[in-house]
Amino acid sequence: STPKPSSAASDVYKRQEIDYSKLSEILAETEEPAFFKCFFNGTALRSLKAENAVFNDCKMSNIDFSYSDFNGAVFRNCDLNNCNFNGCRLFDAKFENCKLSGSDFSDTSNLNCEFEQCQLCYCFMPCFNFKKLTLRELNFNGAELNDCDFRDTIWEDCSMREAVIRQCRFKGADLRGCDLGGLTFSEAANLKGAYISKAQASDILAALDITVL
């Protein structure tokens, strides 16, 4: 769906190169700004106050956003590879069709933070709360997901190959729509309480040279 622009024309920023000072000024003077196809210049954009901001088709990779407030913010079709979201507030934030590989989400406040059609390969996401969410087309390959809460989640067209899932909670999770390739038998113990398919169970046992007939 087409994102709803702000009511004031001055609240929409298109095809601009934006550095820290300019972004800080915009966020201080504008409620719920919208950025379209902007390039965010710089490696450190820390402690931003960006509640309910909208970012569409923006280039934002390799940026340190640590301790920023992105509550209610929306990111669509953005390049956010290798970004640092450490300590960020992400309540009700949404990431749609974004590239987030290698990004750090440690120590975030993330209740109801949603991801859809995103690349999250090799992300660092300890203790992230996904409880009761439907996860669609997410690639967690190689991600570190220690202590995440996946209870009662539904997985659709996702992949979690070679992800680290120590002490995750999966009770009630429907993982039949997730590629679990590369999961060892010992790691599979972390899936206690989840639902998987017979084919997925066979793949896990195949790692031990056990054939299911």
Side-chain angles (χ1 to χ4, degrees), residues 93-108:
K94 297 184 187 302
F95 295 85
E96 301 173 6
N97 195 31
C98 290
K99 299 176 181 177
L100 290 149
S101 295
S103 292
D104 182 352
F105 287 91
S106 56
D107 298 319
T108 56

Side-chain angles (χ1 to χ4, degrees), residues 92-160:
D92 295 316
K94 297 184 187 302
F95 295 85
E96 301 173 6
N97 195 31
C98 290
K99 299 176 181 177
L100 290 149
S101 295
S103 292
D104 182 352
F105 287 91
S106 56
D107 298 319
T108 56
S109 302
N110 50 63
L111 187 65
N112 293 326
C113 179
E114 296 184 19
F115 298 85
E116 185 170 348
Q117 295 179 308
C118 289
Q119 293 293 324
L120 292 153
C121 303
Y122 302 102
C123 275
F124 185 57
M125 304 183 78
C127 305
F128 213 91
N129 185 2
F130 295 95
K131 187 178 179 181
K132 295 186 177 180
L133 296 179
T134 296
L135 309 180
R136 295 188 178 92
E137 297 182 49
L138 301 182
N139 186 347
F140 286 109
N141 290 351
E144 293 194 32
L145 304 172
N146 296 329
D147 297 292
C148 284
D149 189 348
F150 291 110
R151 287 176 295 173
D152 299 313
T153 48
I154 298 173
W155 298 61
E156 299 178 358
D157 296 318
C158 295
S159 182
M160 199 165 48

Side-chain angles (χ1 to χ4, degrees), residues 30-95:
T30 309
E31 291 187 7
E32 303 182 15
F35 302 90
F36 294 86
K37 297 189 176 181
C38 291
F39 174 74
F40 288 77
N41 186 20
T43 57
L45 300 176
R46 303 185 188 98
S47 302
L48 298 174
K49 304 299 182 184
E51 283 187 290
N52 302 312
V54 177
F55 303 88
N56 284 275
D57 298 289
C58 293
K59 301 294 184 183
M60 312 171 76
S61 60
N62 300 295
I63 294 177
D64 181 1
F65 290 115
S66 57
Y67 303 103
S68 293
D69 185 347
F70 289 117
N71 286 346
V74 178
F75 299 84
R76 294 189 182 96
N77 308 312
C78 291
D79 181 354
L80 291 155
N81 286 329
N82 301 305
C83 285
N84 182 11
F85 291 97
N86 177 57
C88 285
R89 295 174 61 83
L90 297 170
F91 290 117
D92 295 316
K94 297 184 187 302
F95 295 85

Side-chain angles (χ1 to χ4, degrees), residues 184-205:
T184 66
F185 189 76
S186 60
E187 290 170 331
N190 291 289
L191 302 181
K192 182 179 179 180
Y195 300 97
I196 64 174
S197 68
K198 292 180 180 179
Q200 288 170 314
S202 295
D203 289 340
I204 293 170
L205 292 173

